[in-house]
Amino acid sequence: MSLLNQYVQKEQQLKQLQEEMERLEGDQRLQSELEFKAKLESLMEEFSKRPADVIALLSPEQASKPATTTTGRRKRRLKVYENPHTGGVIKTRGGNHKELRAWKSEYGDKTVESWVVRTED
């Protein structure tokens, strides 16, 4: 397939996707769900709660089951670090990240741990 044909095909797909997006944006159900999500996130931020906290509150039987990997081991939390000096961002579930180790050797463990922006399950 020539490059021009690929371009024309992608352009048509883009046009179709834009039309679908316009239809979705006009849908009242989507507007309602987006409003609900925004209010829920605002409440969670106001009370310093994570999604797991809300699930535990609303559905305790589901929250009692820890997330596990295929080996049966509990899944580690995702930590997001942001370096205030460089603006670099690292997302990792463990401490064996090459750049994270470099940061820790340069700035110290406690300093780098203070750069945690958020944690996720």
Side-chain angles (χ1 to χ4, degrees):
M1 180 183 283
S2 76
L3 193 57
L4 180 60
N5 287 342
Q6 285 180 336
Y7 177 80
V8 170
Q9 184 181 13
K10 297 295 181 187
E11 198 172 49
Q12 289 172 346
Q13 290 174 348
L14 178 62
K15 189 175 183 177
Q16 288 174 339
L17 285 173
Q18 287 174 333
E19 289 171 359
E20 287 180 38
M21 287 291 294
E22 288 174 9
R23 279 195 300 271
L24 280 173
E25 287 172 354
D27 190 344
Q28 186 59 37
R29 293 175 300 171
L30 176 64
Q31 298 301 324
S32 175
E33 288 185 25
L34 288 173
E35 182 182 354
F36 173 77
K37 182 180 180 256
K39 287 181 179 179
L40 180 60
E41 288 173 343
S42 172
L43 273 173
M44 288 170 50
E45 187 176 315
E46 180 181 339
F47 291 96
S48 302
K49 297 294 180 183
R50 298 173 304 135
D53 298 331
V54 175
I55 291 171
L57 182 65
L58 298 176
S59 183
E61 67 280 351
Q62 193 174 18
S64 64
K65 300 175 189 173
T68 59
T69 61
T70 56
T71 61
R73 184 176 173 198
R74 189 168 166 257
K75 193 174 181 182
R76 292 183 180 175
R77 283 195 169 145
L78 177 72
K79 284 187 176 181
V80 180
Y81 297 86
E82 185 173 353
N83 185 329
H85 304 287
T86 63
V89 175
I90 295 177
K91 296 179 180 180
T92 182
R93 291 195 182 273
N96 202 19
H97 192 279
K98 185 177 181 179
E99 193 174 350
L100 183 63
R101 285 191 316 226
W103 286 359
K104 286 185 176 183
S105 68
E106 184 176 348
Y107 301 105
D109 287 349
K110 288 184 179 183
T111 303
V112 173
E113 284 301 317
S114 72
W115 296 346
V116 174
V117 178
R118 69 177 190 274
T119 58
E120 300 172 7
D121 285 334

